[in-house]
Amino acid sequence: MNIGDKMPDLLGRDSNGKEIRLSDFPGKKFIIYFYPKDNTPGCTAEAVSFRDNYDTLLQMGYQVIGVSKDSEESHRKFAEKQDLPFPLVADTETTLCQTAGVWRLKKMAGREYMGIVRTTFVCDNDGIVTDVIEKVKTKLAADQLMALLEGRGDVNPAP
Protein backbone atom coordinates (compact mmCIF):
# COMPACT_ATOMS: atom_id res chain seq x y z
CA MET A 1 0.00 0.00 0.00
CA ASN A 2 1.07 3.50 -0.72
CA ILE A 3 -0.01 6.92 0.46
CA GLY A 4 -3.51 7.54 -0.89
CA ASP A 5 -4.48 3.85 -0.98
CA LYS A 6 -7.43 2.63 1.10
CA MET A 7 -6.91 -0.05 3.73
CA PRO A 8 -9.63 -2.74 3.58
CA ASP A 9 -12.40 -2.36 6.18
CA LEU A 10 -12.15 -6.00 7.29
CA LEU A 11 -8.66 -6.59 8.65
CA GLY A 12 -9.18 -10.11 10.00
CA ARG A 13 -9.72 -11.79 13.37
CA ASP A 14 -8.18 -10.75 16.66
CA SER A 15 -6.83 -12.91 19.50
CA ASN A 16 -10.40 -13.67 20.64
CA GLY A 17 -11.66 -14.68 17.19
CA LYS A 18 -13.57 -11.40 16.77
CA GLU A 19 -13.58 -9.79 13.33
CA ILE A 20 -11.73 -6.48 13.36
CA ARG A 21 -13.04 -3.83 11.02
CA LEU A 22 -11.93 -0.23 10.69
CA SER A 23 -15.63 0.66 10.84
CA ASP A 24 -15.64 -0.73 14.42
CA PHE A 25 -13.79 2.44 15.46
CA PRO A 26 -15.94 5.34 14.23
CA GLY A 27 -14.20 8.71 14.21
CA LYS A 28 -10.76 7.16 14.78
CA LYS A 29 -7.66 7.42 12.67
CA PHE A 30 -5.46 4.33 12.58
CA ILE A 31 -1.95 3.13 13.26
CA ILE A 32 -1.75 -0.31 11.63
CA TYR A 33 1.60 -1.94 12.20
CA PHE A 34 2.77 -5.17 10.62
CA TYR A 35 5.38 -7.21 12.46
CA PRO A 36 7.03 -10.58 11.77
CA LYS A 37 6.39 -12.73 14.87
CA ASP A 38 4.96 -12.73 18.38
CA ASN A 39 7.36 -13.03 21.32
CA THR A 40 10.55 -12.21 19.43
CA PRO A 41 12.81 -9.47 20.85
CA GLY A 42 12.23 -6.84 18.13
CA CYS A 43 8.50 -7.46 17.84
CA THR A 44 8.09 -7.38 21.62
CA ALA A 45 10.01 -4.10 21.84
CA GLU A 46 7.79 -2.60 19.14
CA ALA A 47 4.56 -3.77 20.80
CA VAL A 48 5.68 -2.49 24.20
CA SER A 49 6.55 0.88 22.66
CA PHE A 50 3.00 1.16 21.33
CA ARG A 51 1.56 -0.13 24.63
CA ASP A 52 3.46 2.45 26.66
CA ASN A 53 2.22 5.27 24.41
CA TYR A 54 -1.25 3.90 23.72
CA ASP A 55 -3.15 6.46 25.83
CA THR A 56 -1.35 9.34 24.10
CA LEU A 57 -2.15 7.90 20.68
CA LEU A 58 -5.81 7.46 21.68
CA GLN A 59 -5.90 11.08 22.86
CA MET A 60 -4.53 12.07 19.46
CA GLY A 61 -7.50 10.24 17.88
CA TYR A 62 -5.65 7.10 16.74
CA GLN A 63 -6.52 3.44 17.25
CA VAL A 64 -3.52 1.06 17.20
CA ILE A 65 -3.85 -2.34 15.51
CA GLY A 66 -1.03 -4.89 15.19
CA VAL A 67 -0.92 -7.51 12.43
CA SER A 68 1.20 -10.63 11.96
CA LYS A 69 0.88 -14.11 10.49
CA ASP A 70 0.69 -15.69 13.96
CA SER A 71 -2.44 -17.52 15.11
CA GLU A 72 -5.20 -16.10 17.29
CA GLU A 73 -3.90 -18.25 20.17
CA SER A 74 -0.35 -16.95 19.75
CA HIS A 75 -1.67 -13.38 19.70
CA ARG A 76 -3.76 -14.01 22.82
CA LYS A 77 -0.73 -15.27 24.77
CA PHE A 78 1.48 -12.45 23.46
CA ALA A 79 -1.11 -9.76 24.31
CA GLU A 80 -1.62 -11.21 27.81
CA LYS A 81 2.09 -11.56 28.52
CA GLN A 82 2.87 -8.00 27.36
CA ASP A 83 -0.41 -6.46 28.64
CA LEU A 84 -1.26 -5.09 25.20
CA PRO A 85 -4.44 -2.96 25.19
CA PHE A 86 -4.93 -2.93 21.42
CA PRO A 87 -6.09 -5.65 19.00
CA LEU A 88 -3.69 -7.97 17.22
CA VAL A 89 -4.96 -9.34 13.91
CA ALA A 90 -4.10 -12.96 13.05
CA ASP A 91 -3.42 -12.85 9.30
CA THR A 92 -2.59 -16.56 9.08
CA GLU A 93 -3.29 -16.71 5.33
CA THR A 94 -1.28 -13.47 4.74
CA THR A 95 -4.24 -11.93 2.88
CA LEU A 96 -3.94 -8.52 4.54
CA CYS A 97 -0.13 -8.66 4.47
CA GLN A 98 -0.21 -9.26 0.71
CA THR A 99 -2.78 -6.49 0.19
CA ALA A 100 -0.60 -4.10 2.19
CA GLY A 101 2.50 -5.19 0.26
CA VAL A 102 4.46 -6.27 3.34
CA TRP A 103 4.61 -10.01 2.50
CA ARG A 104 7.91 -10.15 0.64
CA LEU A 105 10.99 -12.19 -0.07
CA LYS A 106 13.46 -11.84 2.80
CA LYS A 107 17.05 -12.99 3.20
CA MET A 108 18.80 -14.04 6.38
CA ALA A 109 21.89 -16.15 6.99
CA GLY A 110 22.14 -17.03 3.30
CA ARG A 111 18.60 -18.32 3.00
CA GLU A 112 15.62 -16.78 1.26
CA TYR A 113 12.04 -17.03 2.51
CA MET A 114 8.74 -15.17 2.39
CA GLY A 115 7.93 -13.10 5.45
CA ILE A 116 6.49 -9.89 6.81
CA VAL A 117 8.57 -6.77 6.36
CA ARG A 118 8.06 -4.65 9.47
CA THR A 119 6.00 -1.64 8.36
CA THR A 120 3.71 0.91 10.01
CA PHE A 121 0.82 2.56 8.19
CA VAL A 122 -0.94 5.71 9.35
CA CYS A 123 -4.52 5.99 8.06
CA ASP A 124 -7.17 8.69 8.33
CA ASN A 125 -10.73 8.07 9.61
CA ASP A 126 -11.70 6.68 6.18
CA GLY A 127 -8.84 4.16 6.14
CA ILE A 128 -6.84 6.12 3.56
CA VAL A 129 -3.08 5.70 4.04
CA THR A 130 -1.52 9.08 4.91
CA ASP A 131 1.97 7.91 5.92
CA VAL A 132 4.14 4.79 5.73
CA ILE A 133 7.12 4.00 7.96
CA GLU A 134 9.27 1.26 6.44
CA LYS A 135 12.38 1.60 8.58
CA VAL A 136 10.80 1.03 11.98
CA LYS A 137 12.98 1.50 15.06
CA THR A 138 11.48 -1.25 17.22
CA LYS A 139 12.32 0.14 20.68
CA LEU A 140 11.29 3.63 19.60
CA ALA A 141 8.39 2.75 17.29
CA ALA A 142 5.84 5.01 19.04
CA ASP A 143 8.35 7.87 19.42
CA GLN A 144 9.23 7.58 15.74
CA LEU A 145 5.54 7.64 14.86
CA MET A 146 4.72 10.60 17.10
CA ALA A 147 7.64 12.59 15.67
CA LEU A 148 6.16 11.99 12.21
CA LEU A 149 2.70 13.06 13.39
CA GLU A 150 4.09 16.14 15.14
CA GLY A 151 5.93 17.07 11.95
CA ARG A 152 2.55 17.03 10.21
CA GLY A 153 1.00 19.08 13.01
CA ASP A 154 -1.22 16.15 14.00
CA VAL A 155 -0.71 16.41 17.75
CA ASN A 156 -4.02 17.89 18.88
CA PRO A 157 -6.26 15.58 20.93
CA ALA A 158 -9.32 14.19 19.21
CA PRO A 159 -12.54 16.18 19.72
Side-chain angles (χ1 to χ4, degrees):
M1 299 211 114
N2 298 304
I3 292 172
D5 291 342
K6 185 171 176 63
M7 198 63 75
D9 182 52
L10 177 61
L11 300 180
R13 295 193 178 275
D14 71 4
S15 58
N16 298 312
K18 177 182 179 257
E19 281 190 347
I20 297 295
R21 295 177 177 275
L22 297 184
S23 55
D24 292 337
F25 305 95
K28 290 286 185 192
K29 297 174 275 185
F30 301 94
I31 307 301
I32 303 173
Y33 78 98
F34 291 81
Y35 64 99
K37 188 155 182 58
D38 292 339
N39 292 305
T40 57
C43 296
T44 299
E46 183 178 21
V48 166
S49 176
F50 283 121
R51 176 200 68 201
D52 292 349
N53 292 280
Y54 185 64
D55 289 339
T56 301
L57 290 166
L58 283 178
Q59 289 171 6
M60 293 171 68
Y62 286 92
Q63 174 59 49
V64 176
I65 301 170
V67 181
S68 86
K69 188 180 181 308
D70 293 308
S71 69
E72 293 169 16
E73 177 69 12
S74 176
H75 280 343
R76 186 184 59 72
K77 290 177 181 176
F78 183 51
E80 286 175 2
K81 182 177 180 180
Q82 300 304 328
D83 197 26
L84 303 179
F86 47 83
L88 299 176
V89 172
D91 189 24
T92 57
E93 301 297 318
T94 71
T95 306
L96 184 58
C97 291
Q98 289 182 52
T99 298
V102 301
W103 184 252
R104 300 186 202 147
L105 185 65
K106 297 172 81 174
K107 296 179 184 183
M108 184 175 7
R111 105 178 158 80
E112 293 184 344
Y113 61 97
M114 294 300 290
I116 295 173
V117 175
R118 187 184 314 277
T119 309
T120 301
F121 294 91
V122 180
C123 301
D124 68 13
N125 338 39
D126 296 320
I128 304 297
V129 176
T130 59
D131 293 281
V132 180
I133 301 173
E134 293 182 326
K135 295 188 186 306
V136 177
K137 299 173 184 171
T138 56
K139 291 180 183 176
L140 302 170
D143 293 333
Q144 183 182 22
L145 176 65
M146 287 191 283
L148 171 78
L149 298 175
E150 287 172 5
R152 285 192 354 208
D154 197 3
V155 293
N156 297 326

